[in-house]
Amino acid sequence: MPAPSDSAERAAPRAAPASSAAPAPAAPVASAFARVSLLVYTLLIVYASWYPFSGWRDMGLGPFDYLTARLPYYWTVFDVWTNVAGYAPLGALLVLAMYPRIRPWRAIWPATLAGVLLSAGMEAVQTYLPTRVSSNLDLLTNAAGTALGALLGALCSRYFLHESRFLLVRRRWFSGEASRGLAVAGLWPLALIYPQNHLFGLGHLVPPLSAFFSDLLDTPIDLATSWLNSAQLSAEQYWLADVIVTACGLTGAALLFLLLLRRQAPRRRLVALYLLACIAAKSLACALFFAPQNAFVWISPSAVGGIMLGTLMIAGLIWAPPTAQRRIAALALILSLVVTNAVPANPYYLSTLETWVQGKFLNFDGAAQFLSVLWPFLAIWFLFHPVHRRQV
């Protein structure tokens, strides 16, 4: 009987039993949604903490003197719960964003430490803002909120991270590269909370830029007057501008959301649910910050006309190729930005802002305004992101 060849002997040890041919479990993957959301939420905290960004000066106090000061004598339960609730999402997002480098339960302590350091920095810088007061009680409540959020993030991590039910639904209905877009789409209802010159007219840069240059140059500057040369529009022109901005803003946001969905997803129902959630958020904000009877004050003939026109555009483009949807969405948002900043403020909008309740909501007011200005640029960034060139 001939002896086995050397090649046969070398090949024999490499043979694997049939039972070992099962595919290896998928490696844990980081959540781009959690990381993008963490970045945006951190920017909102910074903006809310330093709003209104004016009157900076040295008042003879060290930036960390508040740490050794006595606890404030006057405080309210509302202030405490606002600080806790404001930093709880930060703690949860920190835990989710650290995965898989750090497992959720082990990420609680580093997440809490990161939240404490961020809050301490925000309070230190507030020392140079006359309209803000640095407080060790704020630091303690912010730290408590971060710790509570981190604990909740660890408890809920199985619903949002590797092989969770939520993730399975996301994979079934949304494309593999939808995480960034989901973060952007999720911010749209929140961006609509701040009163706008037009219903979906986000990205109004003129007022904040005017305030910035006025503070920088120490002289009143109204960019709207300079830009528009004191132009006055007729009622029909205001109506037309409102229809255009509302229709374009609605179309751009809805098409961005459609880009995230797979073909087998219930696209019409999900888009309708998304738009209803945005309308609910807008109505709730109007009821909270104006008066309950003003929940639907945003409804006007021009807004209704813009919604109807935008709905027709969405219905016609719902099954269009993704490339066409992406380009039309970007074009619609750019057109909305141009008209929003080119048209003089509607007198009705100016009178509405005078009744906007700030008071205890001063921090929220600044964050809401910042998000309303930022969102269109985030959306356009996503629409031109290289991720759309990948095959999903």
Side-chain angles (χ1 to χ4, degrees):
M1 181 176 180
S5 63
D6 292 342
S7 60
E9 291 178 351
R10 286 194 299 268
R14 296 176 185 172
S19 59
S20 64
V29 179
S31 172
F33 175 81
R35 295 183 176 183
V36 173
S37 300
L38 175 62
L39 174 62
V40 175
Y41 198 80
T42 302
L43 290 175
L44 289 175
I45 287 179
V46 172
Y47 192 93
S49 300
W50 295 348
Y51 181 82
F53 290 87
S54 60
W56 301 89
R57 66 173 181 265
D58 187 355
M59 292 177 283
L61 298 173
F64 294 100
D65 286 353
Y66 73 93
L67 292 173
T68 55
R70 296 180 60 183
L71 289 173
Y73 184 76
Y74 294 102
W75 57 272
T76 65
V77 175
F78 177 87
D79 294 331
V80 171
W81 282 109
T82 298
N83 291 336
V84 172
Y87 271 74
L90 177 72
L93 289 172
L94 281 166
V95 168
L96 298 177
M98 292 180 187
Y99 181 86
R101 186 175 296 273
I102 303 178
R103 296 290 174 168
W105 288 105
R106 294 184 179 180
I108 293 177
W109 287 111
T112 303
L113 177 60
V116 170
L117 292 176
L118 176 63
S119 176
M122 297 299 99
E123 297 294 327
V125 174
Q126 285 181 1
T127 305
Y128 303 100
L129 278 169
T131 56
R132 310 306 294 269
V133 178
S134 302
S135 169
N136 46 16
L137 179 61
D138 287 350
L139 176 61
L140 291 174
T141 51
N142 291 341
T146 306
L148 177 62
L151 179 61
L152 292 175
L155 286 171
C156 300
S157 60
R158 65 191 184 96
Y159 297 107
F160 297 100
L161 295 176
H162 189 57
E163 297 303 328
S164 66
R165 292 182 180 179
F166 177 83
L167 188 59
L168 292 177
V169 173
R170 181 222 180 279
R171 288 174 177 170
R172 187 180 306 119
W173 286 352
F174 295 88
S175 65
E177 300 291 342
S179 295
R180 299 174 184 85
L182 283 172
V184 176
L187 289 172
W188 191 50
L190 301 178
L192 295 173
I193 289 176
Y194 191 79
Q196 305 296 329
N197 195 12
H198 310 282
L199 177 56
F200 299 132
L202 303 177
H204 198 193
L205 289 167
V206 175
L209 286 179
S210 297
F212 172 77
F213 285 114
S214 297
D215 184 62
L216 180 65
L217 302 176
D218 198 22
T219 183
I221 294 178
D222 186 1
L223 292 178
T225 302
S226 304
W227 175 277
L228 304 170
N229 197 21
S230 302
Q232 296 294 328
L233 301 185
S234 64
E236 292 78 10
Q237 290 172 325
Y238 276 121
W239 187 91
L240 180 60
D242 199 19
V243 170
I244 292 173
V245 173
T246 300
C248 288
L250 177 64
T251 302
L255 290 180
L256 184 149
F257 185 75
L258 277 170
L259 283 169
L260 311 177
L261 298 174
R262 295 187 185 274
R263 291 285 175 175
Q264 65 267 28
R267 298 161 69 88
R268 291 189 179 90
R269 283 180 287 175
L270 289 177
V271 172
L273 184 64
Y274 178 58
L275 297 180
L276 287 176
C278 295
I279 291 175
K282 183 71 174 180
S283 302
L284 180 62
C286 290
L288 180 62
F289 293 106
F290 297 109
Q293 62 269 25
N294 292 330
F296 300 101
V297 71
W298 53 268
I299 298 178
S300 65
S302 55
V304 173
I307 291 174
M308 293 177 62
L309 179 59
T311 303
L312 290 174
M313 294 174 66
I314 296 165
L317 293 167
I318 193 167
W319 296 111
T323 302
Q325 290 179 340
R326 180 168 61 89
R327 291 175 178 174
I328 294 174
L331 180 62
L333 291 176
I334 292 172
L335 180 58
S336 176
L337 270 173
V338 171
V339 177
T340 297
N341 288 280
V343 173
N346 193 320
Y348 175 77
Y349 164 71
L350 296 177
S351 63
T352 300
L353 276 186
E354 294 177 357
T355 62
W356 171 251
V357 179
Q358 294 182 356
K360 293 179 178 180
F361 294 95
L362 180 62
N363 292 6
F364 181 81
D365 170 63
Q369 183 183 20
F370 174 69
L371 186 57
S372 72
V373 173
L374 177 67
W375 190 84
F377 300 97
L378 277 176
I380 293 171
W381 162 80
F382 170 72
L383 291 170
F384 286 101
H385 195 278
V387 71
H388 296 290
R389 303 193 189 103
R390 301 177 188 172
Q391 199 72 20
V392 294

